[in-house]
Amino acid sequence: MYSLKPPVKRIIIPENSRLCSSEFIYGVGTSAYQIEGGAESREPNIWDTFCKKPGAIADQTNADISCNHDKLWQQDIELINALNVDAYRFSIAWSKVINADGTLNQKGIGFYHKILDRLNEYGIKSFVTLYHWDLPQNLEDKGGWLNRDMAFYFSDYVQHIANSFKGKVYSYATLNEPYCSAHLGYETGIHAPGLIGKQYGKKAGHHLLLAHGLGMQVLQNTSPESKNGIVVNVTPMYAATNNIEDIKATEIADQEFNHWYIKPLIDGKYPDLLQNMDEQDRPVIHENDLKIISTAIN
């Protein structure tokens, strides 16, 4: 007799690995719209609207209830604590904590206070993401990330959060993966709000990065004790062959999907791709925009 089941291979971390260091942080993560549910307890956001768009979601589901974290948060944190991890990364639902008129939603902000207090009680570091793709619909109605003013609305929102959570948050991330918000949401249309057009993607991307820079200024002033930054997703690019055309195409793709969101943060400038874009597809960059974006990191 024989078994088709492969033998279990035990993975052992070498004793000298940095993973064994007490400075290495193990954690788990979620995002608000993907787990919270409780749609009745917040303002509508762009994903609520997108899920109702014919053909947008293959199985026509939505996240009105989702994992019901809005009601089951205590059980969920108990599960996290049982994993014996060091950290929990989660996002704040902008539409849950800010009312349509711009005022603070005390019940919504109180929900996150309870989570932060419980995490701190268990000694679990809180990594708070301020924007994980769920823009309030009332702001999308004003133009969303195609509207430069959105960066300043974001700054006001960050100020509310930083003031309210002062001393409770270990680390803030302004944005989660701005490429996804800009390219997938405003250029290819496969994410909310579902806009399609080459002329939209880089414009939305610039306003997102400007929002990051302004948000970092707020955090540096209001929450200097926390570790503050941004989450950028990077996709490695390799040429299919050594053919010069393949190499050039790969360099363009690398600029399009990676360097567009990294170089402004580190170098204070966009990649050469900007100069080769059609005029109507370029973002409008004001005089101090790139300084605001880059000095937030440097």
Side-chain angles (χ1 to χ4, degrees):
M1 294 182 64
Y2 61 91
S3 174
L4 294 176
K5 185 177 180 180
V8 176
K9 182 179 180 181
R10 185 181 179 192
I11 299 175
I12 300 175
I13 300 174
E15 291 183 2
N16 62 347
S17 171
R18 295 178 66 183
L19 299 179
C20 296
S21 168
S22 60
E23 295 179 356
F24 190 91
I25 297 175
Y26 287 90
V28 295
T30 63
S31 74
Y33 188 72
Q34 293 170 4
I35 70 161
E36 283 186 5
E40 74 286 349
S41 66
R42 57 169 173 75
E43 301 286 342
N45 66 47
I46 55 175
W47 278 94
D48 296 319
T49 304
F50 186 69
C51 287
K52 296 175 183 176
K53 183 179 178 181
I57 306 298
D59 62 1
Q60 301 180 335
T61 54
N62 58 49
D64 289 356
I65 299 175
S66 190
C67 302
N68 207 18
H69 180 68
D70 187 63
K71 306 290 191 304
L72 303 177
W73 68 270
Q74 296 183 69
Q75 296 178 40
D76 292 340
I77 293 180
E78 291 300 323
L79 289 171
I80 293 171
N81 187 47
L83 294 173
N84 200 30
V85 295
D86 305 309
Y88 173 42
R89 181 187 170 208
F90 63 99
S91 71
I92 306 299
W94 190 340
S95 61
K96 191 183 188 79
V97 296
I98 304 295
N99 296 315
D101 62 2
T103 59
L104 197 64
N105 183 321
Q106 294 297 337
K107 184 176 180 180
I109 206 76
F111 171 75
Y112 295 109
H113 270 293
K114 290 185 291 187
I115 289 175
L116 288 168
D117 290 342
R118 187 63 57 84
L119 292 174
N120 286 327
E121 178 186 336
Y122 287 149
I124 299 173
K125 295 179 175 64
S126 55
F127 283 69
V128 171
T129 303
L130 292 162
Y131 183 70
H132 198 128
W133 312 344
D134 50 352
L135 189 70
Q137 183 60 45
N138 68 83
L139 295 181
E140 180 61 33
D141 293 341
K142 295 180 180 180
W145 290 110
L146 297 179
N147 180 355
R148 179 182 171 85
D149 290 344
M150 213 52 51
F152 298 91
Y153 286 124
F154 179 77
S155 177
D156 292 341
Y157 156 61
V158 175
Q159 187 70 69
H160 277 300
I161 296 298
N163 285 339
S164 184
F165 295 162
K166 195 167 181 62
K168 293 187 177 184
V169 174
Y170 178 80
S171 175
Y172 280 108
T174 52
L175 309 175
N176 180 75
E177 302 171 351
Y179 157 79
C180 294
S181 295
H183 185 78
L184 303 182
Y186 287 86
E187 188 165 333
T188 63
I190 61 175
H191 277 195
L195 272 66
I196 300 174
K198 185 70 174 177
Q199 71 274 26
Y200 300 140
K202 296 299 185 288
K203 187 178 296 183
H206 178 66
H207 294 154
L208 281 155
L209 291 176
L210 179 60
H212 157 74
L214 294 171
M216 283 291 288
Q217 289 180 352
V218 172
L219 293 172
Q220 289 165 343
N221 290 328
T222 308
S223 186
E225 72 282 356
S226 58
K227 297 180 183 298
N228 307 316
I230 186 173
V231 176
V232 179
N233 56 314
V234 177
T235 302
M237 302 286 178
Y238 303 100
T241 71
N242 290 327
N243 185 292
I244 189 64
E245 285 79 11
D246 283 351
I247 293 173
K248 287 183 178 179
T250 304
E251 291 174 351
I252 292 172
D254 198 25
Q255 290 187 42
E256 174 86 22
F257 300 113
N258 295 326
H259 289 275
W260 188 270
Y261 302 93
I262 296 175
K263 285 187 73 67
L265 298 170
I266 298 174
D267 297 336
K269 61 181 180 180
Y270 281 106
D272 295 340
L273 176 70
L274 176 66
Q275 308 308 322
N276 299 324
M277 294 173 62
D278 291 340
E279 188 69 30
Q280 68 269 18
D281 298 337
R282 297 182 188 181
V284 176
I285 302 171
H286 291 211
E287 183 178 356
N288 291 321
D289 285 1
L290 289 166
K291 183 178 181 180
I292 291 171
I293 293 168
S294 62
T295 53
I297 292 291
N298 299 332

